[in-house]
Amino acid sequence: MTFVQSANEYALRNPGQVVWMLPWFLLMLPLVCLPSGAANWPWAKELVSVATDWIPMINSMSSRAVDPQWTRFALSCLWVSGPFWTLVAAICGIRTLKAKLYKQEPLGFSYFLKTFLVFGGAILVIATMKPRPWKRVDMLTYFFAERFGLFVVGWFFITSMFVVLGLIAALPLSRLFGYKYD
């Protein structure tokens, strides 16, 4: 079995894990490798302008960052790419359903609600943690405003809701495209 075949089989068996790692490999890894001056490129400024008009919380999240311009740019890229990750998750879910590798449980609104409550609760806990007097960084700022924190954890909180929506949409979309779930 070649590497491509084994990677394809893994993607068919674990569409959620694959889709959750794609934003990290395809978006966060390249963003962290970009220089801090990348936020001053004309297309990056336009992207940030449009994204902050849609999502004003980007400005408040990046206001406490060491490099607010780069953080605003990275957060804009994450939020703007979200619908794309929803589409990719739906496509991967449909591929898994059509492959019939294992019984696929239908994911409904309750799955989305549970996931939203878990991630919302985690963010609430992180936001309420007060920094110690000798440590000037709180976890919320670290995860969403610092380059390393955003690279390691923050991207997951932002892209998870988009991925979950795509995975939930896989079953109804597969029926729309003619696949009848048994």
Side-chain angles (χ1 to χ4, degrees), residues 4-5 8 22 41 59-60 62 64 70 91 100-101 128 130 132 134 138 146 150 171-172 177 182:
V4 173
Q5 289 172 332
N8 186 36
L22 283 176
W41 297 342
N59 287 329
S60 63
S62 61
R64 294 181 274 177
W70 185 89
I91 290 169
K100 297 181 185 179
L101 289 175
T128 57
K130 299 293 180 202
R132 295 183 179 123
W134 60 88
D138 62 308
E146 299 302 324
L150 190 60
L171 189 64
F177 292 123
D182 298 326

Side-chain angles (χ1 to χ4, degrees), residues 124-166:
L124 182 65
V125 167
I126 290 169
T128 57
M129 293 171 72
K130 299 293 180 202
R132 295 183 179 123
W134 60 88
K135 292 184 177 181
R136 296 289 180 212
V137 174
D138 62 308
M139 295 304 283
L140 195 64
T141 301
Y142 183 71
F143 287 150
F144 295 109
E146 299 302 324
R147 206 179 258 231
F148 184 74
L150 190 60
F151 177 71
V152 175
V153 177
W155 69 270
F156 182 75
F157 285 115
I158 293 171
T159 58
S160 63
M161 289 300 111
F162 295 109
V163 170
V164 168
L165 282 173

Side-chain angles (χ1 to χ4, degrees), residues 2 11 23 27 39 43 69 97 105 144 156 172 174 176:
T2 67
L27 186 65
W43 65 269
Q69 269 188 316
L97 287 170
E105 295 297 324
F144 295 109
F156 182 75
S174 66
L176 179 69

Side-chain angles (χ1 to χ4, degrees), residues 11-52:
L12 288 173
R13 289 190 183 277
N14 305 303
Q17 292 174 2
V18 170
V19 176
W20 264 308
M21 290 310 293
L22 283 176
W24 190 79
F25 281 114
L26 298 178
L27 186 65
M28 287 311 300
L29 196 57
L31 277 176
V32 169
C33 294
L34 287 176
S36 293
N40 293 324
W41 297 342
W43 65 269
K45 286 182 178 181
E46 187 63 30
L47 175 75
V48 169
S49 171
V50 169
T52 54

